[in-house]
Amino acid sequence: MDASAPEVVMGSAEEAVVRRFYEEMNNDRKNEIAAELFSSDHEMHDPQVPGGPGPAGMAAAIAAYQDGVDGHWNIEEMFSAGDRVVVRWTGTGTHVGEMNGIPPTGNTIRVDAISIHRLADGKIAETWQVWDTLGFLQQLGAVPTS
């Protein structure tokens, strides 16, 4: 973890589930644990990240970024209230595979994002996400920067 980043203190069972999503599934490339983390009817609310419902949909969506930009997800902040866990995270990587129809450029990628996860029965049941899609496309060279 970046020494300048604020320390994230895990304070609840819900936060532990969400932390496993970012650290184990995403960063450690353990997409096979998706069924442990997501409900069978999980819904992703992010028009920029197409994926089907449930654990398989999330595994497919994450794999696109794992493969396309050798993605790494860094939790900058995490907090929870009730059945919601909010994460401010940074995605980084190198454009090594086709991404959104764009052939690999070798460009370095960095995007900021915020996700809100709703948990039910110990699993992530719904996710709302916003991230710097324009910046991502500019870094891939698909959209002009000026």
Side-chain angles (χ1 to χ4, degrees):
M1 189 171 192
D2 184 330
S4 65
E7 180 178 271
V8 178
V9 179
M10 186 168 54
S12 70
E14 291 81 11
E15 288 179 17
V17 171
V18 172
R19 183 174 298 282
R20 283 189 71 205
F21 165 58
Y22 290 96
E23 293 178 356
E24 292 180 39
M25 184 175 156
N26 296 0
N27 292 334
D28 293 344
R29 308 302 200 250
K30 295 180 181 176
N31 293 347
E32 68 275 6
I33 69 168
E36 297 173 27
L37 305 175
F38 294 92
S39 65
S40 61
D41 60 347
H42 173 268
E43 236 185 298
M44 171 61 120
H45 302 283
D46 181 346
Q48 282 70 247
V49 180
M58 282 304 289
I62 294 304
Y65 294 92
Q66 289 169 331
D67 298 339
V69 292
D70 192 25
H72 178 82
W73 290 254
N74 187 58
I75 297 171
E76 304 292 344
E77 289 185 86
M78 179 187 296
F79 60 90
S80 57
D83 63 353
R84 304 288 201 272
V85 176
V86 178
V87 182
R88 182 176 64 83
W89 55 272
T90 303
T92 58
T94 302
H95 186 203
V96 296
E98 185 178 311
M99 195 79 240
N100 298 350
I102 303 163
T105 61
N107 292 351
T108 300
I109 306 299
R110 183 187 184 286
V111 297
D112 296 310
I114 298 174
S115 300
I116 302 171
H117 304 278
R118 181 180 65 80
L119 283 87
D121 300 321
K123 293 186 177 187
I124 303 169
E126 207 165 4
T127 301
W128 295 267
Q129 182 166 276
V130 292
W131 58 286
D132 184 9
T133 311
L134 176 59
F136 179 71
L137 293 172
Q138 288 174 328
Q139 292 169 70
L140 292 181
V143 175
T145 56
S146 56

